[in-house]
């Protein structure tokens, strides 16, 4: 039985785009424009947060400081996404990886500049800030020998 | 208790689909809707992949349940088990003599790409979707690649889960995908998020399932002929950001939830007669064998290859076809698992070819929400 042949009425369309507040993590987003990747560190218990958090889930302190992260990461896992969601449908298929930095925090980001067949669990990559041509702020993993900027 | 044909159900809206499960559940229990004191609805996509924002309210009105205590439970793909827990709790604490857990999901009213968008956002939107466009298969693919690298498992190993579950779905007339498949079918299907391919993924399914829970006193009073009892419910949760997980080799939420359930039930995994586990993707079933203690860490593939999770093996798993082939109507899946456990434990109405042998009359349902974001483990006994 073909579902397309079933009678139906169209619901009213709605387009949604929320304004996500970034006041408390502004230093992080501003840092990306300067090519820096910041984490937060709790002033009371020393817990390190990436993604950055303005509040400490460990000790409930609301006093945190900004610390710049190192860039060398060990890739713990990855996937190459072929079937994309609507908002990424204009992009080519992309690779996502999770890498661990020497500070102990992990980062999930796109991995670019590698041939897919070269990507392996355990390999090294460099985490860099990225500002796209349409001014979207992000960060990604790239080969170690790729110079910054 | 009932569970209806799953698949693409563009012939019914969410209320009508819920009714298909509520009616036979009430009839099976010999009850009327007015006797239900509390209703917990499991549904994840309200307002996103189907049009109603308050599905508990609209389905209750449609099924004559208005007036009962009412709540919608959201625990992503474990919403049905969360609803079952809420219904069980209402009875266990004495607030209600009879409660209902109703799971319903309509996933096929929107196109696949938009569905991928919604489900991809079901993690931490800000940190893992906004810039990176993760999809649900991609989250599990991250686990699959880490697992394969660590334990030497192959894409062929993963495919065997699909082959097994399709085999049993072919014996289940309410399953969404009733075709038998081969390892080659899986390996040659299109890549969704490497290493997962189309046949490594559960389908997007419309479906509903309904479970009625009563106090021991009430069950005796109503002279229910084949009651099945809740031995334990264990639960846990995992971080929203996958980047905060210790490793990608097991789901901590599954490990904790199952340990809590075993302890509360006073059981060891070896005493289970069978299990329903959360195989939204093939890798997920292998992780589940290990996380639930059916076999040792890193031994899941061997356990599968030995046939230990087939009927005749040590612990038959997903002999209704699992999420992989029975289908995965997100909010209904948990209730559908409870339905299957109940049918098997009653040794009734399950097709003879897939009735599991029962020694201790104990079965387990493992229901994961998101990518180990939520987990409920429910143990039933007859
Ligand atoms: Zn702190």
């Amino acid at each position: 039985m073909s579902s397309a042949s079933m009678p139906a009425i169209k619901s009213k369309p709605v387009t949604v785009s929320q304004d996500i507040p970034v006041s408390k993590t502004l230093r992080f987003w501003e840092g990306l424009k300067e090519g820096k990747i910041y984490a937060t560190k709790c002033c009371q218990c020393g817990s390190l947060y990436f993604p950055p958090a303005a509040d400490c889930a460990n000790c409930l302190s609301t006093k945190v400081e900004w610390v710049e992260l190192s860039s060398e990461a060990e890739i713990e896992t990855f996937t190459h996404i072929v079937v994309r969601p609507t908002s990424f449908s204009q992009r080519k298929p992309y690779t996502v990886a999770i890498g661990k930095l020497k500070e102990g925090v992990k980062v999930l980001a796109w991995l670019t500049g590698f041939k897919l067949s070269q990507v392996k669990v355990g390999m090294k990559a460099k985490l860099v800030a990225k500002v796209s041509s349409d001014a979207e702020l992000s960060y990604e993993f790239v080969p170690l020998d790729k110079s910054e900027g | 208790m009932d569970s209806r044909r799953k698949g693409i159900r563009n012939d019914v809206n969410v209320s009508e689909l819920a009714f298909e499960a509520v009616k036979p559940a009430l009839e099976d229990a010999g009850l009327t809707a007015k006797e239900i004191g509390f209703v917990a609805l499991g549904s994840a996509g309200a307002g996103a992949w189907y049009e109603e924002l308050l599905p508990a309210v609209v389905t209750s009105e449609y099924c004559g349940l208005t007036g009962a205590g009412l709540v919608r439970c959201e625990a992503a793909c474990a919403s049905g088990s969360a609803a079952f827990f809420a219904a069980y709790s209402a009875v266990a604490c004495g607030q209600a003599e009879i409660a209902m857990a109703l799971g319903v999901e309509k996933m096929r009213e929107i196109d696949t790409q938009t569905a991928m968008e919604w489900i991809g956002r079901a993690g931490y939107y800000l940190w893992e979707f906004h810039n990176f466009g993760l999809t649900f298969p991609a989250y599990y693919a991250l686990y699959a690649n880490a697992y394969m690298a660590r334990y030497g498992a192959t894409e062929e190993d993963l495919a065997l889960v699909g082959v097994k579950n399709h085999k049993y779905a072919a014996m289940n007339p309410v399953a969404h995908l009733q075709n038998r498949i081969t390892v080659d079918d899986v390996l040659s299907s299109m890549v969704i998020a490497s290493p997962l391919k189309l046949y490594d993924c559960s389908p997007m399914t419309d479906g509903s399932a309904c479970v009625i829970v009563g106090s021991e006193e009430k069950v005796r009073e109503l002279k229910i002929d084949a009651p099945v009892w809740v031995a334990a419910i264990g639960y846990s949760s995992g971080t929203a950001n996958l980047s905060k997980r210790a490793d990608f080799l097991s789901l901590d939420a599954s490990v904790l939830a199952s340990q809590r359930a075993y302890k509360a039930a006073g059981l060891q995994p070896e005493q289970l007669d069978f299990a329903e586990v959360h195989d939204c993707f093939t890798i997920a079933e292998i992780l589940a064998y290990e996380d639930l203690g059916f076999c040792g860490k890193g031994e899941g593939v061997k356990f599968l290859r030995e046939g230990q999770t087939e009927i005749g093996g040590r612990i038959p798993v997903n002999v209704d076809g699992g999420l992989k082939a029975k289908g995965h109507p997100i909010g209904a899946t948990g209730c559908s698992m409870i339905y299957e456990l109940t049918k098997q434990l009653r040794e009734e109405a399950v097709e003879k070819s897939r009735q599991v042998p029962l020694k201790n009359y104990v079965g387990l349902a493992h229901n994961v929400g998101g990518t180990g974001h939520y987990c409920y483990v429910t143990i039933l006994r007859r």
Side-chain angles (χ1 to χ4, degrees):
Chain A
M1 192 158 39
S2 160
S3 59
S5 68
M6 288 293 171
I9 56 170
K10 282 239 164 266
S11 71
K12 304 285 185 217
V14 56
T15 306
V16 180
S17 181
Q18 289 99 351
D19 289 322
I20 306 170
V22 292
S23 300
K24 290 197 168 192
T25 51
L26 197 59
R27 179 73 184 271
F28 171 75
W29 301 102
E30 294 292 329
L32 293 175
K33 293 184 203 166
E34 302 154 18
K36 293 181 159 67
I37 295 174
Y38 287 105
T40 53
K41 188 177 178 185
C42 175
C43 297
Q44 191 165 293
C45 75
S47 295
L48 188 65
Y49 289 93
F50 192 91
D55 305 294
C56 181
N58 182 49
C59 76
L60 304 185
S61 167
T62 55
K63 276 191 75 181
V64 296
E65 59 179 333
W66 291 93
V67 293
E68 193 182 342
L69 290 174
S70 63
S71 64
E72 194 176 305
E74 181 178 323
I75 299 304
E76 290 198 351
T77 191
F78 66 96
T79 179
H80 186 64
I81 300 177
V82 177
V83 177
R84 287 98 71 205
T86 311
S87 59
F88 286 78
S89 58
Q90 302 308 312
R91 316 269 188 146
K92 290 203 172 72
Y94 41 88
T95 303
V96 170
I98 295 176
K100 187 174 187 174
L101 304 181
K102 72 167 193 283
E103 293 89 341
V105 293
K106 298 181 191 183
V107 176
L108 178 146
W110 279 7
L111 180 96
T112 66
F114 291 87
K115 280 201 184 110
L116 185 56
S117 58
Q118 298 174 323
V119 181
K120 301 276 183 257
V121 169
M123 75 176 198
K124 296 281 199 288
K126 190 165 71 174
L127 178 67
V128 298
K130 184 174 80 169
V131 182
S132 71
S133 52
D134 49 357
E136 287 241 27
L137 302 172
S138 190
Y139 40 94
E140 64 186 10
F141 294 111
V142 298
L144 284 183
D145 50 19
K146 194 179 166 186
S147 59
E148 279 180 73
Chain B
M1 174 210 55
D2 199 63
S3 179
R4 293 276 113 173
R5 173 72 198 254
K6 294 162 182 63
I8 303 171
R9 293 296 310 275
N10 289 350
D11 56 326
V12 287
N13 65 33
V14 65
S15 300
E16 294 158 351
L17 187 59
F19 187 89
E20 289 187 9
V22 170
K23 174 184 153 75
L26 286 171
E27 289 173 351
D28 179 75
L31 293 167
T32 65
K34 294 289 164 259
E35 293 172 88
I36 307 296
F38 188 80
V39 176
L41 178 98
S43 196
W49 48 77
Y50 64 89
E51 64 286 357
E52 296 296 345
L53 260 295
L54 303 180
V57 177
V58 302
T59 59
S60 276
E61 180 196 299
Y62 194 81
C63 298
L65 294 158
T66 300
L70 183 64
V71 70
R72 171 165 76 108
C73 298
E74 181 279 305
C77 322
S79 298
S81 288
F84 181 74
F85 174 68
Y88 168 80
S89 300
V91 170
C93 75
Q95 284 279 329
E97 285 185 304
I98 304 172
M100 174 185 284
L102 172 59
V104 64
E105 207 73 73
K106 285 282 289 156
M107 305 187 69
R108 304 299 292 249
E109 296 181 8
I110 57 172
D111 62 275
T112 303
Q113 204 173 51
T114 307
M116 292 287 273
E117 175 87 21
W118 282 122
I119 305 173
R121 290 176 178 224
Y124 209 134
Y125 170 85
L126 178 59
W127 297 108
E128 299 198 342
F129 184 89
H130 183 77
N131 273 324
F132 308 121
L134 267 287
T135 63
F136 193 33
Y139 288 117
Y140 271 94
L142 292 168
Y143 276 83
N145 268 330
Y147 186 93
M148 288 162 69
R150 174 67 179 78
Y151 295 116
T154 64
E155 295 182 30
E156 194 174 45
D157 293 329
L158 302 186
L160 288 168
V161 172
V163 172
K164 172 179 77 70
N165 293 353
H166 274 256
K167 181 179 87 178
Y168 289 115
M171 304 173 196
N172 180 358
V174 302
H176 183 173
L177 306 175
Q178 297 181 20
N179 57 320
R180 293 188 68 142
I181 57 167
T182 65
V183 167
D184 281 343
D185 291 333
V186 182
L187 296 181
S188 61
S189 63
M190 75 175 288
V191 175
I192 305 293
S194 71
L196 301 180
K197 293 163 289 296
L198 182 63
Y199 272 125
D200 286 299
C201 306
S202 55
M204 292 193 211
T205 302
D206 297 328
S208 58
C210 182
V211 186
I212 292 173
V213 187
S215 65
E216 191 168 348
E217 212 169 53
K218 197 72 189 172
V219 166
R220 308 257 183 242
E221 181 192 318
L222 292 168
K223 300 190 168 52
I224 301 290
D225 53 358
V228 163
W229 305 100
V230 177
I233 301 178
Y235 37 66
S236 188
S237 54
T239 61
N241 279 300
L242 261 63
S243 64
K244 297 219 172 182
R245 305 278 171 92
D247 63 44
F248 304 96
L249 305 170
S250 77
L251 295 177
D252 289 346
S254 295
V255 174
L256 271 171
S258 61
Q259 285 173 352
R260 286 171 178 163
Y262 292 138
K263 190 174 175 207
L267 285 168
Q268 297 296 321
E270 298 75 36
Q271 292 168 275
L272 300 170
D273 288 315
F274 67 110
E276 288 277 294
V277 311
H278 199 88
D279 60 326
C280 48
F281 301 96
T282 50
I283 179 66
E285 180 162 323
I286 292 171
L287 295 178
Y289 297 163
E290 302 176 7
D291 293 346
L292 300 171
F294 300 169
C295 64
K297 195 66 218 148
E299 293 170 3
V301 166
K302 182 168 167 279
F303 201 65
L304 172 70
R305 281 192 174 273
E306 289 172 355
Q308 302 289 9
T309 53
E310 309 225 10
I311 290 172
R314 208 179 303 166
I315 177 165
V317 171
N318 291 338
V319 298
D320 58 353
L323 282 57
K324 175 62 202 79
K326 179 184 63 182
H328 183 23
I330 290 183
T333 284
C335 290
S336 176
M337 288 174 159
I338 305 289
Y339 167 85
E340 173 68 10
L341 290 192
T342 306
K343 285 292 198 191
Q344 289 278 359
L345 287 169
R346 286 179 174 179
E347 297 173 286
E348 67 175 24
V350 167
E351 300 67 28
K352 278 210 166 54
S353 54
R354 58 178 203 86
Q355 172 68 51
V356 299
L358 297 165
K359 197 172 89 187
N360 298 321
Y361 287 84
V362 183
L364 174 148
H366 161 249
N367 192 191
V368 177
T371 314
H373 292 112
Y374 308 81
C375 186
Y376 284 82
V377 170
T378 305
I379 300 177
L380 300 187
R381 64 179 169 78
R382 173 131 163 231

PDB file of all heavy atoms in Angstrom, chain A residues 7 29-31 44 46 57-58 62 69 89 93 95 100 102 107 116 118 123-124 128 145-146 148-149:
ATOM      1  N   PRO A   7      -4.999   9.871   1.666  1.00  0.00           N
ATOM      2  CA  PRO A   7      -5.475  11.255   1.780  1.00  0.00           C
ATOM      3  C   PRO A   7      -4.933  11.922   3.042  1.00  0.00           C
ATOM      4  O   PRO A   7      -4.837  11.289   4.090  1.00  0.00           O
ATOM      5  CB  PRO A   7      -7.001  11.106   1.852  1.00  0.00           C
ATOM      6  CG  PRO A   7      -7.278   9.674   2.103  1.00  0.00           C
ATOM      7  CD  PRO A   7      -6.068   8.873   1.745  1.00  0.00           C
ATOM      8  N   TRP A  29      33.468  32.513  22.127  1.00  0.00           N
ATOM      9  CA  TRP A  29      33.103  32.816  20.737  1.00  0.00           C
ATOM     10  C   TRP A  29      34.002  33.922  20.177  1.00  0.00           C
ATOM     11  O   TRP A  29      34.400  33.885  19.019  1.00  0.00           O
ATOM     12  CB  TRP A  29      31.619  33.186  20.649  1.00  0.00           C
ATOM     13  CG  TRP A  29      30.741  32.061  21.151  1.00  0.00           C
ATOM     14  CD1 TRP A  29      30.126  31.980  22.364  1.00  0.00           C
ATOM     15  CD2 TRP A  29      30.447  30.825  20.470  1.00  0.00           C
ATOM     16  NE1 TRP A  29      29.447  30.774  22.480  1.00  0.00           N
ATOM     17  CE2 TRP A  29      29.627  30.053  21.338  1.00  0.00           C
ATOM     18  CE3 TRP A  29      30.791  30.297  19.215  1.00  0.00           C
ATOM     19  CZ2 TRP A  29      29.147  28.785  20.995  1.00  0.00           C
ATOM     20  CZ3 TRP A  29      30.299  29.034  18.873  1.00  0.00           C
ATOM     21  CH2 TRP A  29      29.500  28.298  19.754  1.00  0.00           C
ATOM     22  N   GLU A  30      34.322  34.923  21.005  1.00  0.00           N
ATOM     23  CA  GLU A  30      35.236  35.991  20.575  1.00  0.00           C
ATOM     24  C   GLU A  30      36.629  35.424  20.320  1.00  0.00           C
ATOM     25  O   GLU A  30      37.324  35.820  19.389  1.00  0.00           O
ATOM     26  CB  GLU A  30      35.308  37.098  21.643  1.00  0.00           C
ATOM     27  CG  GLU A  30      34.003  37.860  21.852  1.00  0.00           C
ATOM     28  CD  GLU A  30      33.625  38.719  20.647  1.00  0.00           C
ATOM     29  OE1 GLU A  30      34.544  39.195  19.963  1.00  0.00           O
ATOM     30  OE2 GLU A  30      32.418  38.888  20.389  1.00  0.00           O
ATOM     31  N   GLY A  31      37.017  34.492  21.188  1.00  0.00           N
ATOM     32  CA  GLY A  31      38.341  33.869  21.066  1.00  0.00           C
ATOM     33  C   GLY A  31      38.527  33.180  19.721  1.00  0.00           C
ATOM     34  O   GLY A  31      39.614  33.205  19.133  1.00  0.00           O
ATOM     35  N   GLN A  44      37.271  27.578  42.110  1.00  0.00           N
ATOM     36  CA  GLN A  44      37.189  26.955  43.439  1.00  0.00           C
ATOM     37  C   GLN A  44      37.764  25.533  43.464  1.00  0.00           C
ATOM     38  O   GLN A  44      38.576  25.210  44.306  1.00  0.00           O
ATOM     39  CB  GLN A  44      35.725  26.944  43.894  1.00  0.00           C
ATOM     40  CG  GLN A  44      35.536  26.564  45.353  1.00  0.00           C
ATOM     41  CD  GLN A  44      34.132  26.921  45.823  1.00  0.00           C
ATOM     42  OE1 GLN A  44      33.767  28.092  45.920  1.00  0.00           O
ATOM     43  NE2 GLN A  44      33.349  25.896  46.095  1.00  0.00           N
ATOM     44  N   GLY A  46      38.900  23.780  40.472  1.00  0.00           N
ATOM     45  CA  GLY A  46      39.867  23.502  39.414  1.00  0.00           C
ATOM     46  C   GLY A  46      39.350  22.664  38.265  1.00  0.00           C
ATOM     47  O   GLY A  46      40.095  22.356  37.327  1.00  0.00           O
ATOM     48  N   ALA A  57      29.586  22.360  37.560  1.00  0.00           N
ATOM     49  CA  ALA A  57      28.668  21.280  37.925  1.00  0.00           C
ATOM     50  C   ALA A  57      29.245  20.440  39.055  1.00  0.00           C
ATOM     51  O   ALA A  57      28.522  19.712  39.735  1.00  0.00           O
ATOM     52  CB  ALA A  57      28.394  20.392  36.712  1.00  0.00           C
ATOM     53  N   ASN A  58      30.554  20.542  39.268  1.00  0.00           N
ATOM     54  CA  ASN A  58      31.208  19.731  40.301  1.00  0.00           C
ATOM     55  C   ASN A  58      31.015  20.318  41.693  1.00  0.00           C
ATOM     56  O   ASN A  58      30.676  19.600  42.625  1.00  0.00           O
ATOM     57  CB  ASN A  58      32.689  19.581  39.970  1.00  0.00           C
ATOM     58  CG  ASN A  58      33.416  18.700  40.969  1.00  0.00           C
ATOM     59  OD1 ASN A  58      32.949  17.608  41.281  1.00  0.00           O
ATOM     60  ND2 ASN A  58      34.537  19.178  41.492  1.00  0.00           N
ATOM     61  N   THR A  62      30.167  29.617  40.820  1.00  0.00           N
ATOM     62  CA  THR A  62      29.852  30.360  39.595  1.00  0.00           C
ATOM     63  C   THR A  62      31.040  31.229  39.189  1.00  0.00           C
ATOM     64  O   THR A  62      30.926  32.105  38.340  1.00  0.00           O
ATOM     65  CB  THR A  62      28.598  31.235  39.787  1.00  0.00           C
ATOM     66  OG1 THR A  62      28.795  32.072  40.923  1.00  0.00           O
ATOM     67  CG2 THR A  62      27.364  30.377  40.005  1.00  0.00           C
ATOM     68  N   LEU A  69      43.267  26.461  25.377  1.00  0.00           N
ATOM     69  CA  LEU A  69      43.603  25.042  25.253  1.00  0.00           C
ATOM     70  C   LEU A  69      44.778  24.844  24.299  1.00  0.00           C
ATOM     71  O   LEU A  69      44.988  25.630  23.373  1.00  0.00           O
ATOM     72  CB  LEU A  69      42.395  24.250  24.727  1.00  0.00           C
ATOM     73  CG  LEU A  69      41.212  24.099  25.687  1.00  0.00           C
ATOM     74  CD1 LEU A  69      40.043  23.424  24.967  1.00  0.00           C
ATOM     75  CD2 LEU A  69      41.611  23.289  26.925  1.00  0.00           C
ATOM     76  N   SER A  89      22.240  20.046   4.176  1.00  0.00           N
ATOM     77  CA  SER A  89      22.073  19.348   2.899  1.00  0.00           C
ATOM     78  C   SER A  89      22.852  20.006   1.767  1.00  0.00           C
ATOM     79  O   SER A  89      23.145  19.360   0.764  1.00  0.00           O
ATOM     80  CB  SER A  89      20.582  19.257   2.547  1.00  0.00           C
ATOM     81  OG  SER A  89      20.038  20.563   2.477  1.00  0.00           O
ATOM     82  N   PRO A  93      29.391  15.668   1.957  1.00  0.00           N
ATOM     83  CA  PRO A  93      29.525  14.795   3.136  1.00  0.00           C
ATOM     84  C   PRO A  93      30.738  15.222   3.974  1.00  0.00           C
ATOM     85  O   PRO A  93      31.750  15.659   3.421  1.00  0.00           O
ATOM     86  CB  PRO A  93      29.713  13.419   2.516  1.00  0.00           C
ATOM     87  CG  PRO A  93      28.936  13.493   1.239  1.00  0.00           C
ATOM     88  CD  PRO A  93      29.179  14.889   0.724  1.00  0.00           C
ATOM     89  N   THR A  95      33.263  14.737   7.769  1.00  0.00           N
ATOM     90  CA  THR A  95      33.766  13.809   8.784  1.00  0.00           C
ATOM     91  C   THR A  95      33.761  14.493  10.144  1.00  0.00           C
ATOM     92  O   THR A  95      34.217  15.633  10.267  1.00  0.00           O
ATOM     93  CB  THR A  95      35.194  13.355   8.432  1.00  0.00           C
ATOM     94  OG1 THR A  95      35.167  12.762   7.135  1.00  0.00           O
ATOM     95  CG2 THR A  95      35.719  12.337   9.438  1.00  0.00           C
ATOM     96  N   LYS A 100      41.041  13.933  21.989  1.00  0.00           N
ATOM     97  CA  LYS A 100      41.377  14.234  23.386  1.00  0.00           C
ATOM     98  C   LYS A 100      42.618  15.111  23.419  1.00  0.00           C
ATOM     99  O   LYS A 100      43.621  14.800  22.768  1.00  0.00           O
ATOM    100  CB  LYS A 100      41.614  12.936  24.157  1.00  0.00           C
ATOM    101  CG  LYS A 100      41.803  13.153  25.653  1.00  0.00           C
ATOM    102  CD  LYS A 100      41.877  11.805  26.369  1.00  0.00           C
ATOM    103  CE  LYS A 100      41.901  12.012  27.872  1.00  0.00           C
ATOM    104  NZ  LYS A 100      41.830  10.736  28.590  1.00  0.00           N
ATOM    105  N   LYS A 102      45.735  17.274  25.612  1.00  0.00           N
ATOM    106  CA  LYS A 102      46.601  16.852  26.718  1.00  0.00           C
ATOM    107  C   LYS A 102      46.077  17.316  28.080  1.00  0.00           C
ATOM    108  O   LYS A 102      46.372  16.709  29.101  1.00  0.00           O
ATOM    109  CB  LYS A 102      48.052  17.293  26.484  1.00  0.00           C
ATOM    110  CG  LYS A 102      48.330  18.760  26.626  1.00  0.00           C
ATOM    111  CD  LYS A 102      49.855  18.968  26.688  1.00  0.00           C
ATOM    112  CE  LYS A 102      50.234  20.354  27.151  1.00  0.00           C
ATOM    113  NZ  LYS A 102      50.084  21.383  26.111  1.00  0.00           N
ATOM    114  N   VAL A 107      37.077  17.003  22.574  1.00  0.00           N
ATOM    115  CA  VAL A 107      36.389  17.950  21.705  1.00  0.00           C
ATOM    116  C   VAL A 107      35.764  17.174  20.554  1.00  0.00           C
ATOM    117  O   VAL A 107      36.413  16.298  19.968  1.00  0.00           O
ATOM    118  CB  VAL A 107      37.384  18.987  21.139  1.00  0.00           C
ATOM    119  CG1 VAL A 107      36.696  19.931  20.156  1.00  0.00           C
ATOM    120  CG2 VAL A 107      38.046  19.779  22.271  1.00  0.00           C
ATOM    121  N   LEU A 116      39.792  10.325   3.626  1.00  0.00           N
ATOM    122  CA  LEU A 116      39.028   9.495   4.558  1.00  0.00           C
ATOM    123  C   LEU A 116      39.771   8.198   4.887  1.00  0.00           C
ATOM    124  O   LEU A 116      39.771   7.740   6.032  1.00  0.00           O
ATOM    125  CB  LEU A 116      37.641   9.194   3.978  1.00  0.00           C
ATOM    126  CG  LEU A 116      36.678   8.429   4.906  1.00  0.00           C
ATOM    127  CD1 LEU A 116      36.473   9.154   6.232  1.00  0.00           C
ATOM    128  CD2 LEU A 116      35.336   8.201   4.218  1.00  0.00           C
ATOM    129  N   GLN A 118      42.777   7.778   5.279  1.00  0.00           N
ATOM    130  CA  GLN A 118      43.897   8.022   6.202  1.00  0.00           C
ATOM    131  C   GLN A 118      43.437   8.178   7.647  1.00  0.00           C
ATOM    132  O   GLN A 118      44.255   8.160   8.561  1.00  0.00           O
ATOM    133  CB  GLN A 118      44.610   9.338   5.836  1.00  0.00           C
ATOM    134  CG  GLN A 118      45.242   9.369   4.462  1.00  0.00           C
ATOM    135  CD  GLN A 118      45.777  10.768   4.156  1.00  0.00           C
ATOM    136  OE1 GLN A 118      45.177  11.770   4.534  1.00  0.00           O
ATOM    137  NE2 GLN A 118      46.921  10.817   3.464  1.00  0.00           N
ATOM    138  N   MET A 123      45.121   8.355  15.758  1.00  0.00           N
ATOM    139  CA  MET A 123      46.021   9.280  15.053  1.00  0.00           C
ATOM    140  C   MET A 123      45.987  10.671  15.705  1.00  0.00           C
ATOM    141  O   MET A 123      45.104  11.000  16.496  1.00  0.00           O
ATOM    142  CB  MET A 123      45.647   9.381  13.576  1.00  0.00           C
ATOM    143  CG  MET A 123      44.404  10.191  13.324  1.00  0.00           C
ATOM    144  SD  MET A 123      44.095  10.357  11.551  1.00  0.00           S
ATOM    145  CE  MET A 123      42.975  11.752  11.559  1.00  0.00           C
ATOM    146  N   LYS A 124      46.987  11.489  15.373  1.00  0.00           N
ATOM    147  CA  LYS A 124      47.064  12.845  15.921  1.00  0.00           C
ATOM    148  C   LYS A 124      46.483  13.855  14.923  1.00  0.00           C
ATOM    149  O   LYS A 124      46.587  13.669  13.706  1.00  0.00           O
ATOM    150  CB  LYS A 124      48.528  13.206  16.195  1.00  0.00           C
ATOM    151  CG  LYS A 124      49.184  12.335  17.266  1.00  0.00           C
ATOM    152  CD  LYS A 124      48.779  12.773  18.655  1.00  0.00           C
ATOM    153  CE  LYS A 124      49.726  12.283  19.728  1.00  0.00           C
ATOM    154  NZ  LYS A 124      49.595  10.838  19.969  1.00  0.00           N
ATOM    155  N   VAL A 128      41.953  23.604  15.558  1.00  0.00           N
ATOM    156  CA  VAL A 128      42.104  25.022  15.213  1.00  0.00           C
ATOM    157  C   VAL A 128      40.746  25.720  15.170  1.00  0.00           C
ATOM    158  O   VAL A 128      39.719  25.101  14.881  1.00  0.00           O
ATOM    159  CB  VAL A 128      42.810  25.219  13.837  1.00  0.00           C
ATOM    160  CG1 VAL A 128      44.219  24.658  13.860  1.00  0.00           C
ATOM    161  CG2 VAL A 128      41.999  24.586  12.705  1.00  0.00           C
ATOM    162  N   ASP A 145      50.614  19.146  10.361  1.00  0.00           N
ATOM    163  CA  ASP A 145      51.584  19.984   9.651  1.00  0.00           C
ATOM    164  C   ASP A 145      50.939  21.200   8.984  1.00  0.00           C
ATOM    165  O   ASP A 145      51.617  22.031   8.405  1.00  0.00           O
ATOM    166  CB  ASP A 145      52.364  19.165   8.610  1.00  0.00           C
ATOM    167  CG  ASP A 145      51.433  18.364   7.716  1.00  0.00           C
ATOM    168  OD1 ASP A 145      50.227  18.708   7.660  1.00  0.00           O
ATOM    169  OD2 ASP A 145      51.895  17.389   7.105  1.00  0.00           O
ATOM    170  N   LYS A 146      49.617  21.304   9.094  1.00  0.00           N
ATOM    171  CA  LYS A 146      48.956  22.451   8.463  1.00  0.00           C
ATOM    172  C   LYS A 146      49.217  23.702   9.305  1.00  0.00           C
ATOM    173  O   LYS A 146      48.946  23.727  10.497  1.00  0.00           O
ATOM    174  CB  LYS A 146      47.446  22.199   8.350  1.00  0.00           C
ATOM    175  CG  LYS A 146      46.781  23.186   7.411  1.00  0.00           C
ATOM    176  CD  LYS A 146      45.284  22.921   7.289  1.00  0.00           C
ATOM    177  CE  LYS A 146      44.592  24.081   6.640  1.00  0.00           C
ATOM    178  NZ  LYS A 146      43.154  23.924   6.639  1.00  0.00           N
ATOM    179  N   GLU A 148      48.885  27.440  10.888  1.00  0.00           N
ATOM    180  CA  GLU A 148      47.683  28.120  11.388  1.00  0.00           C
ATOM    181  C   GLU A 148      47.293  29.296  10.515  1.00  0.00           C
ATOM    182  O   GLU A 148      48.106  29.875   9.828  1.00  0.00           O
ATOM    183  CB  GLU A 148      47.902  28.573  12.823  1.00  0.00           C
ATOM    184  CG  GLU A 148      47.680  27.426  13.799  1.00  0.00           C
ATOM    185  CD  GLU A 148      47.889  27.845  15.236  1.00  0.00           C
ATOM    186  OE1 GLU A 148      47.030  28.557  15.749  1.00  0.00           O
ATOM    187  OE2 GLU A 148      48.910  27.460  15.819  1.00  0.00           O
ATOM    188  N   GLY A 149      46.009  29.668  10.632  1.00  0.00           N
ATOM    189  CA  GLY A 149      45.454  30.819   9.895  1.00  0.00           C
ATOM    190  C   GLY A 149      45.154  30.381   8.513  1.00  0.00           C
ATOM    191  O   GLY A 149      45.425  30.893   7.542  1.00  0.00           O
TER     192      GLY A 149
END
